[in-house]
Amino acid sequence: MSTHSVYLFRHIQSNQVLVSTRPNMKSKSLSQLNLARPIRLRKDLWRPVVALTGFDSEKAVRAVQDALLHRSKAYQLTLATDKEHLTRPKRLRSVDEKDILKTSIVSLREALESVSHRYLKEDGKLTALWEQTQHMELKGDSEWPAFLEHGQLALKNNRFVSEQEEKE
């Protein structure tokens, strides 16, 4: 069984999303948010959205993580240059800029499609374990790739990812 995984965490109040290769958040993950002032990581405010498991190599995990981060930065740049977005009051703009859960899940699907042909074996299967099945439906217009199987994420203390038991 493979131990390489990608985790997406969401902030329970603002729906900001962080990408990690570890099941528990580290403070340096906050650098993905591009905040002007440093903030402390409060683990009680971050919940896992999806755990993507079954990668054969660390290279595949890094490729998916980099693709997700690249798409996230591109979305933030799009918002920063959108004239309609910039004309809105700042308090409303910041809500839109932070609420990236849906775009992150669409980006996850796109990243898997773009990276799969280079880093996954032909018969390779990945498993996406979701915190809530409703998040799986935010995939956008296209369907999830055929090599991806879906399941329910087991949580410990309603926050941190625990070992998933195989049901076979």
Side-chain angles (χ1 to χ4, degrees):
M1 187 169 155
S2 173
T3 60
H4 303 291
S5 303
V6 174
Y7 301 91
L8 267 68
F9 292 90
R10 72 176 174 89
H11 193 275
I12 61 173
Q13 295 171 332
S14 65
N15 274 341
Q16 291 172 299
V17 175
L18 295 177
V19 182
S20 176
T21 56
R22 299 174 185 236
N24 294 322
M25 299 279 295
K26 298 289 182 192
S27 293
K28 71 178 188 175
S29 299
L30 293 173
S31 64
Q32 297 172 24
L33 298 178
N34 295 330
L35 299 172
R37 60 186 172 101
I39 60 171
R40 252 184 67 227
L41 174 67
R42 285 195 47 195
K43 293 182 181 182
D44 60 327
L45 294 178
W46 293 92
R47 295 194 54 171
V49 175
V50 63
L52 196 59
T53 62
F55 290 99
D56 293 327
S57 68
E58 186 68 28
K59 277 186 174 182
V61 170
R62 290 288 175 208
V64 170
Q65 182 183 24
D66 290 345
L68 281 169
L69 293 175
H70 175 72
R71 283 170 171 76
S72 174
K73 291 205 187 298
Y75 176 72
Q76 291 172 356
L77 182 64
T78 302
L79 282 179
T81 58
D82 183 23
K83 289 184 188 284
E84 182 180 320
H85 176 71
L86 293 174
T87 58
R88 299 178 68 198
K90 186 172 182 174
R91 64 183 173 80
L92 297 176
R93 281 193 320 237
S94 67
V95 170
D96 290 343
E97 291 166 359
K98 290 178 181 178
D99 187 9
I100 60 170
L101 180 62
K102 182 177 179 177
T103 57
S104 295
I105 292 175
V106 170
S107 296
L108 176 64
R109 181 188 49 78
E110 293 170 352
L112 287 173
E113 290 172 349
S114 68
V115 170
S116 64
H117 65 280
R118 284 183 283 168
Y119 293 102
L120 292 179
K121 296 178 182 173
E122 298 229 359
D123 59 344
K125 291 277 185 188
L126 296 179
T127 304
L129 302 172
W130 297 89
E131 173 202 15
Q132 299 173 10
T133 53
Q134 68 193 27
H135 294 315
M136 182 175 65
E137 302 302 321
L138 299 174
K139 65 188 180 305
D141 297 333
S142 300
E143 293 298 317
W144 289 101
F147 58 84
L148 188 65
E149 298 173 351
H150 301 279
Q152 185 68 34
L153 183 64
L155 297 177
K156 181 173 64 175
N157 295 335
N158 210 21
R159 283 183 297 235
F160 302 115
V161 177
S162 66
E163 293 298 318
Q164 175 68 16
E165 297 177 11
E166 296 294 323
K167 297 180 183 179
E168 291 182 27

